Amino acid sequence: MARTYNVVTYGCQMNVHDSERISGLLEQAGYVRAVPTDDTPDIVVFNTCAVRENADNRLYGNLGRLRPVKDKHPGMQIAVGGCLAQKDRGDIVRKAPWVDVVFGTHNIGALPVLLERARHNAAAEVEILESLDVFPSTLPTRRESTYAGWVSISVGCNNTCTFCIVPALRGKEKDRRPGDILSEVRALVDEGVLEVTLLGQNVNSYGVAFGDAGEPNWKRSGGRSAFAELLRACGDIDGLERVRFTSPHPKDFTDDVIAAMAETPNVCHSLHMPLQSGSDDVLRAMRRSYRSDRYLGIIEKVRAAMPDAAITTDIIVGFPGETEADFQRTLDVVRQSRFSSAFTFQYSKRPGTPAATMDGQLPKPVVQERYERLVACVEEISWAENKRLVGETVEVLVAVGEGRKDERTGRMSGRARDGRLVHFATESAEGQSLAGQIRPGDIVHTTITYAAPHHLNADGALVAHRRTRAGDAAEAGRSPRTPGVLLGLPTIGAPPVAPAPTAGCATH
Ligand code: SF4
């Protein structure tokens, strides 16, 4: 019988996508995914995150709980990868000697070999590389969704934000060739995928390093327009209905990206642009080299070009040295930006980052109190922004796992083009339920009847329902296998709900 595996993922979208690669690699090596009720898979892989302060407690707690299970199941193997593994390396097997393999962020592809070697030698294998050997997108990938896929355009980051551990653990930015990116996008679309999210720590610096070595028609401005050109090239791919990207950086954001978003019909009018703080002094201390007026200037241009754009952000409150006046500046920028939602974080020390040893660390009650005021301000604005959509008809890509209460309410859920979460009733104009006919990956049009701060409801009759190839695939439960060469192809299955972002990582 084939050996089974389970991958446990912590952290950001990068990690979720890396876990798709880990799954693809293991399946190429002959393992099969354990069913959810299987408590004793043959391989358990922890894909870790080092961003949260208590990430290591969580990992070692989980490893401790697994130890007696492993003792009772000879042959079971445990592997630890991701950012915490890159950081703690051999310490992991010193603290938890029952771990079989430790691998880093730069050598995901080595996992099957390391598992094999650990089994053969009956000893732990720890292998951490200092830089990337193979661009991770060349690894086989077991996609979790039939309708939406992530495509990495770069890994690593050249910035040095003082709260962020990413540059230390993911290395300097490495960009992928545009032709490889577009081939992967086409391969996904050929499998029925409708939506692609281009993924990089700083998508706006994509291609700058190519300079004159870029694609022939992308050479203007020495590669600085490469990301805009990439968006426009995605616009030429038949069958690709939605293009998103994460994350841009205000420092590098250029007008040509706004023009490409506005002029390329399949690029969604949604922008997630991290603010982090509205205070220029705090931005300086964070070593983020834009200032609040630049940030607001970008938002103004985005709204001028795309009045329907939904803009979301990340904000850290309580950074060392933040004064009440600094915090008020953040509230000012939030009010002016009118975010449709914001991920808000209380600053907490991340070992290994410059900010962790800065003077002026704030007492928890001060951070908590500011955080609560920030959340109230953000919610008031996002609620008001959402209410403007009541009465509007929106296009929704039907999703899996987005509506916790769907079973009870009889609704289905999905994302509008601008990224907003919509829970919708499934009755046709004739009053018949279409619930059995609408599949994840299908497209519906529906009219918003109610707005909450974090979601919209559409409780009237559906305006339209379009069956798609992604929906066909989901209904058939087909599981196309990954070929194990260059490109990852999608497979069928419930997509994971993306974990909440963590400041200073993919959300920067
Ligand atoms: S927060 Fe983002 S831009 Fe800053 S160093 Fe981290 S990954 Fe790079």
Side-chain angles (χ1 to χ4, degrees):
M1 251 179 28
R3 288 167 63 76
T4 57
Y5 76 90
N6 186 25
V7 182
V8 181
T9 309
Y10 308 112
C12 64
Q13 294 96 325
M14 289 280 176
N15 261 20
V16 174
H17 190 28
D18 279 348
S19 288
E20 291 186 325
R21 295 180 181 124
I22 290 169
S23 298
L25 277 162
L26 292 175
E27 294 194 7
Q28 189 187 45
Y31 298 92
V32 296
R33 181 173 288 190
V35 294
T37 50
D38 182 358
D39 295 334
T40 56
D42 298 305
I43 310 277
V44 180
V45 183
F46 290 98
N47 188 14
T48 62
C49 163
V51 167
R52 292 218 187 264
E53 198 177 22
N54 60 0
D56 44 357
N57 293 341
R58 209 168 149 207
L59 171 68
Y60 291 110
N62 282 330
L63 289 174
R65 275 188 288 282
L66 213 51
R67 184 181 194 171
V69 181
K70 188 180 176 198
D71 287 345
K72 282 196 205 133
H73 292 84
M76 184 177 186
Q77 288 186 295
I78 300 172
V80 180
C83 289
L84 199 61
Q86 186 76 25
K87 180 165 135 327
D88 283 3
R89 305 167 177 230
D91 282 353
I92 292 177
V93 284
R94 276 189 282 284
K95 288 184 190 164
W98 58 97
V99 167
D100 298 278
V101 169
V102 177
F103 63 106
T105 52
H106 298 305
N107 62 334
I108 290 174
L111 176 63
V113 171
L114 294 173
L115 287 167
E116 207 46 55
R117 216 187 284 156
R119 196 173 13 247
H120 180 267
N121 297 344
E125 289 287 328
V126 178
E127 187 179 288
I128 304 286
L129 300 188
E130 294 309 324
S131 61
L132 213 56
D133 56 347
V134 179
F135 196 94
S137 290
T138 59
L139 303 174
T141 305
R142 185 202 202 278
R143 301 280 175 173
E144 298 294 337
S145 167
T146 61
Y147 51 84
W150 284 303
V151 174
S152 289
I153 67 167
S154 63
V155 290
C157 182
N158 291 339
N159 293 316
T160 52
C161 302
T162 50
F163 55 82
C164 181
I165 195 81
V166 166
L169 301 179
R170 297 263 174 180
K172 290 274 180 209
E173 178 177 326
K174 283 207 172 56
D175 295 344
R176 197 173 168 205
R177 306 302 306 182
D180 292 346
I181 296 168
L182 294 170
S183 297
E184 186 176 350
V185 174
R186 280 192 206 96
L188 287 166
V189 173
D190 285 349
E191 293 293 313
V193 165
L194 303 176
E195 176 177 307
V196 152
T197 302
L198 304 174
L199 203 53
Q201 300 289 358
N202 177 3
V203 295
N204 297 106
S205 59
Y206 171 75
V208 173
F210 294 160
D212 284 345
E215 296 293 289
N217 58 340
W218 296 10
K219 282 184 184 171
R220 55 178 179 263
S221 67
R224 278 196 299 281
S225 65
F227 184 62
E229 296 296 340
L230 188 65
L231 288 178
R232 289 184 191 275
C234 286
D236 293 335
I237 297 177
D238 277 349
L240 179 59
E241 299 194 18
R242 294 180 173 195
V243 179
R244 303 188 189 282
F245 58 87
T246 195
S247 290
H249 195 301
K251 168 175 76 95
D252 298 310
F253 207 104
T254 46
D255 292 352
D256 57 356
V257 172
I258 299 174
M261 288 178 73
E263 292 164 15
T264 311
N266 64 1
V267 176
C268 293
H269 291 180
S270 64
L271 178 70
H272 181 81
M273 187 166 68
L275 167 66
Q276 303 306 15
S277 173
S279 155
D280 290 350
D281 288 340
V282 173
L283 288 172
R284 209 170 282 118
M286 289 175 164
R287 225 183 279 146
R288 290 179 66 87
S289 57
Y290 57 91
R291 299 295 169 249
S292 55
D293 56 352
R294 171 166 172 79
Y295 187 93
L296 289 166
I298 296 169
I299 291 206
E300 203 177 307
K301 287 181 195 165
V302 169
R303 293 215 194 277
M306 294 167 280
D308 59 343
I311 300 175
T312 59
T313 197
D314 305 320
I315 302 167
I316 297 174
V317 66
F319 190 78
E322 183 191 76
T323 62
E324 176 61 26
D326 291 323
F327 176 65
Q328 286 297 334
R329 279 299 297 142
T330 297
L331 292 180
D332 288 346
V333 175
V334 167
R335 287 189 197 105
Q336 290 175 67
S337 302
R338 303 209 62 80
F339 297 116
S340 59
S341 76
F343 293 105
T344 47
F345 304 91
Q346 297 188 24
Y347 173 77
S348 65
K349 287 183 188 175
R350 282 98 194 226
T353 60
T357 52
M358 279 181 179
D359 293 339
Q361 304 283 335
L362 298 184
K364 168 76 180 163
V366 172
V367 180
Q368 181 70 32
E369 193 269 338
R370 285 183 194 164
Y371 176 77
E372 285 166 17
R373 274 189 284 156
L374 175 64
V375 169
C377 177
V378 163
E379 291 211 344
E380 187 187 319
I381 291 165
S382 50
W383 198 1
E385 289 296 302
N386 279 356
K387 281 179 189 165
R388 285 149 50 107
L389 288 167
V390 172
E392 298 276 320
T393 296
V394 297
E395 177 201 276
V396 178
L397 173 54
V398 184
V400 180
E402 294 266 39
R404 272 185 298 118
K405 299 182 190 160
D406 282 356
E407 216 164 298
R408 185 159 53 75
T409 60
R411 297 188 184 109
M412 294 180 82
S413 300
R415 294 276 166 182
R417 287 193 73 83
D418 65 7
R420 284 180 165 96
L421 177 61
V422 181
H423 305 300
F424 61 91
T426 57
E427 272 78 47
S428 67
E430 293 74 35
Q432 284 170 344
S433 171
L434 300 177
Q437 296 171 42
I438 302 172
R439 297 91 42 93
D442 280 353
I443 297 278
V444 299
H445 287 79
T446 187
T447 304
I448 302 303
T449 53
Y450 170 81
H454 302 291
H455 69 267
L456 301 166
N457 287 352
D459 283 331
L462 282 178
V463 176
H465 165 219
R466 173 159 57 89
R467 294 168 74 85
T468 66
R469 289 176 58 220
D472 294 344
E475 185 177 10
R478 281 196 310 268
S479 294
R481 293 295 98 193
T482 55
V485 293
L486 282 179
L487 298 173
L489 296 178
T491 188
I492 312 299
V497 176
T502 43
C505 189
T507 60
H508 67 149

